[in-house]
Amino acid sequence: MAEAAGSRQQPAAGRAPPDAAYRAEEEPEPASLDAPAAAAGRRRERRSGVSAVGTAERFPGGSLGPAAAPDPDACLLEAAKATPRRSSIIKDPSNQKCGRKKTVSFSSMPSEKKISSASDCISFMQAGCELKKVRPNSRIYNRFFTLDPDLQALRWEPSKKDLEKAKLDISAIKEIRLGKNTETFRNNGLADQISEDCALSVIHGENYESLDLVANSADVANIWVSGLRYLVSRSKQPLDLMESSHNTPRFAWLKTVFEAADVDGNGIMLEDTSVELIKKLNPTLKESKIRLKFKEIQKSKEKLTTRVTKEEFCEAFSELCTRPEVYFLLVQISKNKEYLDANDLMLFLEAEQGVTHITEEMCLDIIRRYELSQEGRLKGFLAIDGFTQYLLSPECDIFDPEHKKIVQDMTQPLSHYYINASHNTYLIEDQLRGPADINGYVRALKMSCRSIELDVCDGPDNEPIICNRNNMTSPLAFRSVIEVINKLAFFASEYPLILCLGNHCSVPQQKVVVQYMKRIFGNKLYTEAPLSSEVYLPSPEKLKMKIIVKGKKLPCDQDILEGEVTDEDEEAEISRRLSEDFSREPKLIWLCRELSDLVSLCKSVQYKDFETSMKAQNYWEMCSFSEAEASRIANEYPEDFVNYNKKFLSRVYPSAMRIDSSNLNPQDFWNCGCQIVAMNYQTPGPMMDLHTGWFLQNGGCGYVLRPSVMRDEVSYFSANTKGIVPGVSPQVLHVKIISGQNFPKPKGACAKGDVIDPYVCIEIHGIPADCTEQRTKTVQQNSDNPIFDESFEFQINLPELAMIRFVVLDDDYIGDEFIGQYTIPLECLQPGYRHIPLRSFVGDIMEHVTLFVHIAITNRSGDGKAQKRSLSVRIGKKAREYTMLRNTGLKTIDDIFKLAVHPLREATDMRENMQNAMVSVKELCGLPPIASLKQCILTLSSRLVSSDNAPSVTLCMKDAFPYLEPLGTMPDVQKKVLAAYDLMIQESRVLIETADITHDKIVQCQKAGMEFHEELHNLGTKEGLKGRKLSKAIESFAWNITVLKGQGDLLKNAKNEALENMKQIQLACLSCGLSKTGSGHADAKSKRCLEAIQEKDTGDENGRL
């Protein structure tokens, strides 16, 4: 078993860095992959009772001793991130394995000892650990780093340097950066193989030199960053760590909690009482774990008793209830305090969480609601426990609360929406043996399903029934089902409900069906005849509170009371598949006029081909496609399928061969614009997760507006798009998986005990170009609070169709077992630090089971392929790829489109130049591309303040643009930053001032081209084009119109973004004190300029842009 595990954990071939790059200064240290593979194998032996030597033994009292330095090769393996395998989820997600080989976490933090205070960080640093020192020459050296006992210097060894030179004084440190945010990292040839979360840089000296380091895990990097920041912020103050740890707001609160429960006032209480008290404060903790912690504390003090002192209670609570990742975050945003004040919280919400219009009073209200101590609520600060509660609250949920309301335009034609649809709604088991059950309708309607199915057959006593025709043992009375539908039709959504009627009744019972529907539904039933003067279906807004019947219809021009029509498409397919004569004529059934007249907007017709449909099909007619037929059409005619669905409704139902009622992948057909993709609600799994997650948006009303590129009459979109969508700006999704909380053991897991080895898989679903998956490392034997600390980037080419699915699995020999998942549309993601509430296999929210992540979404810089270093790097003009217009072969039209070539290049250059300038400023500020400009100003302001707290630059508004002017001489490094800042302002100014002119040129070309839209066929005939060549010309015309409209919109959005950036920069400068010049005149002028920017913004929005 151990050998098998070892073989499974082998790193991907070719991912090891060159041996020569990893060497000591004294002698070569070639990297070997055998040692880490063997170590991985040993760590996998836990199930057979063999345990590896834990880090707890090397870290007594919270320190990692020098004698227990981790194996350098193992550290290297952990620091180097292997490139994940790209796989096509869109083909068959249920069979896809995660895209990266399983690795073992070599975390240096023992589960028994958590970092919960600055003194813990200092103790760890004083004991020292091995870090990798990165040099600009693409070399990396293993060094052992320690903090001096007097806390005055950082030292490292071995080194050829004199001992006094192999050190860095704490007083010389300017700032500490987490991540690969220096020139050394950006230019190092091996930087791609180093984890972003394990990298840190110490910036020191007047020239801002960098000491660039790589820890063997993200938690170790966080300890060094937090500890050094704490020391730097207090370098001018004497440090008494023990005293400071006992004077924290948290310790004071815990003392009051203990004293309130200590009824005797003796300063001690029974262990049982202490356990109950901690359980009350933190309900997620297990009693056994609390008791074990008390025993550990008492054993370390060599005492055996069932009573707990105040200090022991505080220590146990701190170690059990402190989440290190939350502590590191709190210290970072509080400027190295152990609590947040209202100003800290305000900056966190604005710069990190993306909250706008936040005020100090709003922050104080958050503190009053979440801070646990009375002192904190009165004084206005949020300590670690209150901050943790806030991060876990619904206010920090990953789902944007705006999307819990109706936020989309509901006045578009019905064919422009995806519609939540159910297949065989009456089933709660598989379609082969499952009986009909009324709860199938109750469940679907309560989940905002807007298209349900009723298979109606003849029943006894002239009472129609609904049943599974494969199992007639428990039919439902049609009347009872209709009554339930009437009661719940608009329980979860007020938008129209479509009844897909499968009619298998005789004519007499059809008339009974009509009577029941008219009597029970009343005026909810929509029976108005469609207007021939209209071209599109009515909107969901117009059809509110209406029930629409989909079914067969007798010819309107024949005055007959009943007649024959073809059987329902789904039934016909099943019959043909079960018959040897697959090509036989469809079965005919009798239909009465009364039932026919109930069908208005959704008349069922047979699909022949797109050419026939586009010529002869009426807008109120719709086709149903089997899964196999829809897949074939999507592969052979993807563009035609999208164009067809702009006007007509399409329904896709699962293959008749899915006798277990498994589900198709709805994304395959959403990509083609199919509105009604029927799902087997009774079958949970990945496909149902996608369906449920998708319809959470737009207030969960069951209708989701399709992207404009799939709605516009003249536009080009292919369901098989493998790259960038014309006219759509790609985005980069940055996901950091930080930690998990309270993972349960998988249901039915075969392994003994409660131990699990969790990892997280991130799946991206959307158009084929966007589908991918990546996974984190496996964290061994930790279900309570596994720390992953891994970052990922995904390029999203069509954000409006993308979904992200987080899946937590238990890494096991036999097969990775499901723990929980959460699926969410990309459009509904909230940025910043968020908790994800995980759902069980059947879709229920699991209490207290969460995933802690950081989310950021940035614009993709440039239209070319992703660069090796990062998806969001700058792309220079020479490497820039422009979205090209296509030649239609129609000279008159091509001459018009040629006029747009130069404006399109100008628009792209302006957008890219501004983005590149912004990236340069972020890099020079030592921030990643996901950082906001407000964070840049905050970072910059700390550098531009002299020793007497006077700013060395001042905000100077020139023509309403926020320039920074130096006050006196400045170091070269600061001059470089200011030069980059000036370039960013200049590029933004160019865009803001010239965007209107360029936008008008693009729009004029678009309008001129559209004037020929109706004449395309005639122009093509005159040019001698026909057949495929004519179709290609029309397709190229649609492509060009899509590009022009899309690029115009992108330029408009870029201008609005630039205006918003100018406002944010000015507000940040004002809040940082960079506008103070000794009088109120400058501040007043800045405020007037801010108002001018706001007026300019409003004017542009109301004007041409």
Side-chain angles (χ1 to χ4, degrees):
M1 188 67 77
E3 292 177 4
S7 63
R8 288 177 69 211
Q9 300 302 322
Q10 283 285 354
R15 296 300 303 165
D19 292 348
Y22 287 82
R23 66 184 75 219
E25 294 179 22
E26 291 77 18
E27 58 184 356
E29 295 176 359
S32 167
L33 293 179
D34 295 331
R42 287 194 295 273
R43 286 188 178 241
R44 298 290 299 170
E45 291 176 355
R46 64 165 178 83
R47 301 206 187 268
S48 59
V50 180
S51 61
V53 177
T55 50
E57 299 167 10
R58 307 179 317 208
F59 188 16
S63 299
L64 181 63
D71 174 49
D73 295 324
C75 297
L76 174 59
L77 180 65
E78 185 62 24
K81 291 178 71 174
T83 301
R85 172 179 60 83
R86 185 175 174 86
S87 62
S88 178
I89 296 178
I90 204 163
K91 293 181 180 177
D92 188 3
S94 60
N95 295 329
Q96 291 294 325
K97 296 294 286 183
C98 290
R100 189 156 75 179
K101 291 202 173 190
K102 296 174 186 175
T103 58
V104 176
S105 167
F106 292 96
S107 174
S108 61
M109 291 303 304
S111 58
E112 294 84 357
K113 178 67 181 178
K114 291 182 179 178
I115 295 293
S116 60
S117 66
S119 60
D120 291 338
C121 295
I122 302 301
S123 298
F124 182 94
M125 293 159 61
Q126 286 177 320
C129 74
E130 189 172 78
L131 301 173
K132 288 181 170 54
K133 187 178 174 186
V134 182
R135 300 297 299 274
N137 58 4
S138 295
R139 293 194 175 186
I140 300 177
Y141 306 101
N142 294 314
R143 295 289 175 262
F144 193 85
F145 281 77
T146 56
L147 177 67
D148 275 358
D150 61 2
L151 313 180
Q152 296 304 307
L154 187 65
R155 297 183 184 272
W156 57 91
E157 58 181 28
S159 175
K160 288 181 179 179
K161 295 179 180 177
D162 182 85
L163 288 178
E164 285 303 307
K165 291 185 178 179
K167 76 167 189 175
L168 178 62
D169 290 334
I170 299 297
S171 59
I173 297 177
K174 299 291 186 182
E175 59 187 72
I176 300 95
R177 301 175 185 172
L178 184 61
K180 298 182 290 187
N181 295 312
T182 63
E183 284 297 316
T184 299
F185 275 122
R186 283 190 285 268
N187 298 328
N188 191 294
L190 299 172
D192 286 341
Q193 300 171 39
I194 296 172
S195 166
E196 179 81 21
D197 308 296
C198 295
L200 65 143
S201 300
V202 182
I203 311 301
H204 59 93
E206 293 303 319
N207 292 323
Y208 282 70
E209 300 170 65
S210 66
L211 172 63
D212 300 287
L213 306 170
V214 180
N216 69 331
S217 66
D219 51 359
V220 171
N222 276 317
I223 292 171
W224 282 95
V225 170
S226 299
L228 288 172
R229 283 175 175 170
Y230 182 87
L231 291 173
V232 170
S233 67
R234 287 159 174 76
S235 59
K236 298 178 182 179
Q237 305 169 14
L239 290 172
D240 187 337
L241 294 173
M242 289 304 297
E243 184 64 26
S244 64
S245 67
H246 286 169
N247 282 338
T248 62
R250 179 195 222 178
F251 194 83
W253 164 67
L254 286 174
K255 284 194 296 185
T256 62
V257 169
F258 183 92
E259 289 164 0
D262 180 17
V263 291
D264 297 330
N266 296 327
I268 58 174
M269 66 172 63
L270 291 173
E271 183 180 298
D272 291 344
T273 308
S274 299
V275 170
E276 290 175 10
L277 188 55
I278 290 180
K279 278 282 290 179
K280 183 179 178 181
L281 295 171
N282 190 341
T284 64
L285 285 176
K286 297 173 185 175
E287 182 179 327
S288 58
K289 189 170 183 179
I290 302 173
R291 292 189 184 279
L292 180 61
K293 179 56 64 177
F294 279 129
K295 286 183 173 58
E296 287 177 6
I297 292 172
Q298 291 171 351
K299 185 180 178 182
S300 67
K301 298 180 180 179
E302 298 182 350
K303 51 186 282 193
L304 295 173
T305 178
T306 57
R307 296 182 180 273
V308 176
T309 66
K310 187 188 303 182
E311 289 71 21
E312 289 167 350
F313 172 81
C314 295
E315 184 180 351
F317 181 89
S318 296
E319 292 198 16
L320 288 168
C321 300
T322 301
R323 287 172 47 188
E325 73 279 18
V326 176
Y327 172 78
F328 293 136
L329 176 61
L330 180 140
V331 172
Q332 174 189 334
I333 62 182
S334 68
K335 302 180 181 68
N336 311 302
K337 302 188 297 288
E338 303 220 340
Y339 60 87
L340 300 175
D341 57 30
N343 189 50
D344 296 328
L345 187 57
M346 188 186 303
L347 290 174
F348 171 68
L349 294 175
E350 286 180 338
E352 199 64 70
Q353 302 294 88
V355 181
T356 55
H357 310 300
I358 194 78
T359 64
E360 184 178 2
E361 183 53 41
M362 293 165 66
C363 293
L364 289 171
D365 179 63
I366 291 173
I367 291 171
R368 285 190 289 268
R369 285 186 286 120
Y370 292 101
E371 173 55 28
L372 301 180
S373 71
Q374 185 176 1
E375 180 189 9
R377 292 192 294 270
L378 291 173
K379 294 183 177 179
F381 62 74
L382 196 62
I384 178 68
D385 300 291
F387 185 52
T388 303
Q389 292 297 315
Y390 171 64
L391 290 175
L392 282 166
S393 72
E395 294 182 53
C396 290
D397 190 82
I398 193 171
F399 195 93
D400 188 344
E402 283 298 308
H403 289 272
K404 294 182 179 180
K405 301 177 289 188
I406 307 295
V407 293
Q408 296 176 349
D409 178 10
M410 301 304 289
T411 63
Q412 300 274 334
L414 206 62
S415 59
H416 288 183
Y417 298 84
Y418 297 113
I419 303 173
N420 190 341
S422 163
H423 178 249
N424 289 345
T425 314
Y426 48 83
L427 292 180
I428 59 171
E429 296 178 28
D430 67 72
Q431 65 187 36
L432 191 63
R433 299 178 301 276
D437 193 306
I438 195 71
N439 288 317
Y441 291 97
V442 173
R443 173 184 56 199
L445 292 171
K446 285 187 174 181
M447 293 176 67
S448 299
C449 185
R450 298 290 83 196
S451 172
I452 58 178
E453 297 184 7
L454 300 92
D455 283 344
V456 193
C457 301
D458 282 353
D461 304 322
N462 202 37
E463 286 287 335
I465 59 172
I466 289 179
C467 64
N468 179 2
R469 293 197 294 155
N470 296 316
N471 182 356
M472 304 285 285
T473 56
S474 58
L476 302 173
F478 177 77
R479 183 184 61 187
S480 300
V481 172
I482 292 297
E483 287 173 346
V484 168
I485 292 174
N486 184 59
K487 182 180 178 181
L488 297 175
F490 305 105
F491 172 84
S493 172
E494 59 185 355
Y495 291 101
L497 174 66
I498 300 172
L499 303 185
C500 298
L501 195 64
N503 173 30
H504 312 292
C505 294
S506 61
V507 169
Q509 293 210 17
Q510 288 179 33
K511 294 181 179 180
V512 176
V513 166
V514 174
Q515 291 172 8
Y516 281 141
M517 292 178 78
K518 284 186 174 180
R519 188 175 79 234
I520 295 171
F521 290 150
N523 60 7
K524 294 177 186 173
L525 202 60
Y526 187 89
T527 55
E528 294 178 23
L531 299 175
S532 57
S533 58
E534 297 290 335
V535 179
Y536 286 97
L537 288 163
S539 70
E541 187 67 29
K542 188 175 181 180
L543 296 170
K544 264 184 179 179
M545 307 298 288
K546 293 296 181 182
I547 294 175
I548 302 168
V549 178
K550 169 198 170 291
K552 293 292 181 178
K553 195 170 177 64
L554 293 172
C556 296
D557 56 354
Q558 297 180 18
D559 187 17
I560 54 176
L561 296 179
E562 56 188 58
E564 285 187 317
V565 294
T566 56
D567 195 1
E568 284 299 302
D569 302 316
E570 186 169 350
E571 297 299 326
E573 192 222 6
I574 295 174
S575 300
R576 289 199 304 273
R577 283 185 175 275
L578 296 178
S579 169
E580 292 183 3
D581 184 12
F582 189 77
S583 61
R584 70 176 184 172
E585 288 296 315
K587 176 185 173 184
L588 298 177
I589 59 172
W590 282 93
L591 179 66
C592 71
R593 172 60 66 181
E594 292 89 339
L595 185 57
S596 172
D597 287 346
L598 292 185
V599 177
S600 172
L601 296 179
C602 293
K603 175 187 174 183
S604 294
V605 297
Q606 288 277 0
Y607 167 79
K608 293 181 180 178
D609 55 60
F610 287 128
E611 185 177 357
T612 303
S613 295
M614 297 303 282
K615 288 180 180 177
Q617 187 172 333
N618 295 307
Y619 71 85
W620 62 82
E621 297 174 334
M622 63 177 290
C623 297
S624 289
F625 300 88
S626 69
E627 178 185 351
E629 185 180 24
S631 296
R632 177 186 63 79
I633 295 171
N635 287 325
E636 294 179 6
Y637 311 104
E639 298 91 349
D640 292 338
F641 211 171
V642 171
N643 287 329
Y644 171 83
N645 286 321
K646 291 176 183 178
K647 184 175 181 180
F648 307 110
L649 287 176
S650 291
R651 172 177 169 268
V652 180
Y653 55 87
S655 167
M657 297 297 103
R658 294 183 182 271
I659 57 175
D660 59 349
S661 290
S662 58
N663 275 306
L664 47 74
N665 185 349
Q667 191 79 52
D668 291 347
F669 307 107
W670 291 335
N671 289 344
C672 301
C674 296
Q675 299 88 351
I676 303 175
V677 182
M679 302 292 288
N680 290 310
Y681 270 56
Q682 71 272 27
T683 309
M687 301 302 101
M688 198 62 203
D689 293 341
L690 293 179
H691 181 270
T692 304
W694 181 248
F695 285 104
L696 288 175
Q697 60 185 313
N698 201 29
C701 71
Y703 284 83
V704 173
L705 188 64
R706 294 194 323 226
S708 61
V709 74
M710 302 174 73
R711 304 191 315 264
D712 294 340
E713 183 181 358
V714 181
S715 62
Y716 176 87
F717 177 75
S718 170
N720 291 338
T721 297
K722 297 294 192 297
I724 291 174
V725 179
V728 177
S729 178
Q731 293 180 339
V732 180
L733 171 64
H734 307 260
V735 180
K736 182 175 183 179
I737 305 294
I738 302 172
S739 64
Q741 291 75 47
N742 309 306
F743 290 162
K745 185 180 177 183
K747 288 188 177 180
C750 55
K752 295 179 180 179
D754 294 327
V755 175
I756 62 171
D757 299 335
Y759 68 92
V760 183
C761 191
I762 309 166
E763 303 171 355
I764 305 295
H765 298 259
I767 61 173
D770 293 342
C771 288
T772 186
E773 55 187 84
Q774 295 194 45
R775 57 155 291 173
T776 66
K777 63 177 178 279
T778 296
V779 175
Q780 298 295 327
Q781 305 184 39
N782 191 336
S783 60
D784 296 331
N785 190 37
I787 305 294
F788 300 101
D789 261 329
E790 288 194 67
S791 299
F792 305 91
E793 279 187 0
F794 304 93
Q795 179 169 314
I796 311 295
N797 293 286
L798 186 56
E800 289 176 276
L801 266 187
M803 275 191 291
I804 178 169
R805 181 170 182 258
F806 300 90
V807 192
V808 181
L809 299 167
D810 181 16
D811 199 341
D812 200 3
Y813 290 121
I814 300 171
D816 298 344
E817 295 168 314
F818 178 89
I819 294 174
Q821 68 83 30
Y822 186 81
T823 307
I824 181 173
L826 185 77
E827 298 278 288
C828 298
L829 285 174
Q830 284 209 95
Y833 290 91
R834 305 289 171 183
H835 277 92
I836 300 174
L838 293 181
R839 294 178 179 264
S840 67
F841 184 74
V842 296
D844 297 330
I845 292 286
M846 296 185 286
E847 191 176 16
H848 303 307
V849 182
T850 56
L851 199 61
F852 188 39
V853 302
H854 181 268
I855 300 290
I857 299 175
T858 59
N859 291 330
R860 165 82 162 80
S861 289
D863 294 332
K865 295 181 180 178
Q867 301 297 300
K868 182 179 179 183
R869 189 176 71 204
S870 169
L871 294 175
S872 46
V873 295
R874 297 186 307 273
I875 293 185
K877 236 178 177 181
K878 290 183 179 179
R880 192 171 293 164
E881 293 182 16
Y882 298 90
T883 304
M884 303 300 293
L885 297 175
R886 293 179 177 178
N887 194 330
T888 65
L890 305 173
K891 186 178 185 304
T892 306
I893 295 175
D894 286 338
D895 288 343
I896 292 173
F897 287 139
K898 284 178 183 177
L899 298 175
V901 172
H902 184 66
L904 286 176
R905 292 181 69 91
E906 282 184 341
T908 301
D909 286 341
M910 283 191 287
R911 289 189 293 109
E912 297 301 333
N913 290 344
M914 185 185 74
Q915 290 292 334
N916 288 345
M918 288 171 59
V919 171
S920 292
V921 172
K922 292 175 184 179
E923 287 182 351
L924 290 171
C925 288
L927 295 172
I930 63 173
S932 66
L933 286 179
K934 184 153 192 174
Q935 288 171 310
C936 288
I937 298 300
L938 293 174
T939 302
L940 195 57
S941 65
S942 64
R943 297 186 193 174
L944 300 176
V945 174
S946 61
S947 56
D948 57 353
N949 290 326
S952 56
V953 298
T954 184
L955 176 67
C956 180
M957 301 302 296
K958 297 178 182 177
D959 301 325
F961 288 93
Y963 288 89
L964 292 177
E965 287 193 352
L967 300 173
T969 58
M970 298 185 66
D972 290 342
V973 64
Q974 306 297 25
K975 290 179 180 177
K976 187 176 180 183
V977 177
L978 285 183
Y981 175 86
D982 285 344
L983 179 61
M984 178 184 70
I985 299 298
Q986 189 59 35
E987 294 293 354
S988 300
R989 182 170 186 167
V990 168
L991 190 149
I992 291 170
E993 293 179 345
T994 61
D996 285 341
I997 299 171
T998 305
H999 182 266
D1000 285 348
K1001 291 178 182 177
I1002 294 173
V1003 170
Q1004 286 169 8
C1005 290
Q1006 179 190 347
K1007 288 180 178 178
M1010 283 298 295
E1011 290 177 0
F1012 291 93
H1013 174 231
E1014 301 294 336
E1015 302 296 322
L1016 282 177
H1017 281 88
N1018 293 336
L1019 287 173
T1021 303
K1022 289 180 182 179
E1023 295 282 346
L1025 301 179
K1026 56 184 178 179
R1028 181 59 189 158
K1029 288 185 177 180
L1030 180 59
S1031 298
K1032 192 68 178 176
I1034 295 172
E1035 180 184 296
S1036 297
F1037 177 85
W1039 168 280
N1040 291 347
I1041 294 296
T1042 305
V1043 168
L1044 291 172
K1045 180 181 182 301
Q1047 292 297 318
D1049 290 344
L1050 290 177
L1051 182 59
K1052 178 174 64 176
N1053 294 338
K1055 179 184 175 181
N1056 291 335
E1057 180 188 349
L1059 286 166
E1060 181 63 26
N1061 287 340
M1062 297 303 101
K1063 287 194 290 185
Q1064 292 304 317
I1065 289 173
Q1066 187 178 0
L1067 287 171
C1069 289
L1070 289 169
S1071 65
C1072 294
L1074 295 182
S1075 63
K1076 295 177 182 177
T1077 59
S1079 70
H1081 176 69
D1083 284 341
K1085 183 179 179 182
S1086 293
K1087 290 177 181 177
R1088 288 196 300 272
C1089 290
L1090 181 59
E1091 292 170 0
I1093 293 177
Q1094 291 170 336
E1095 289 173 5
K1096 185 179 179 68
D1097 194 2
T1098 305
D1100 286 331
E1101 286 179 359
N1102 296 331
R1104 285 176 293 176
L1105 289 187

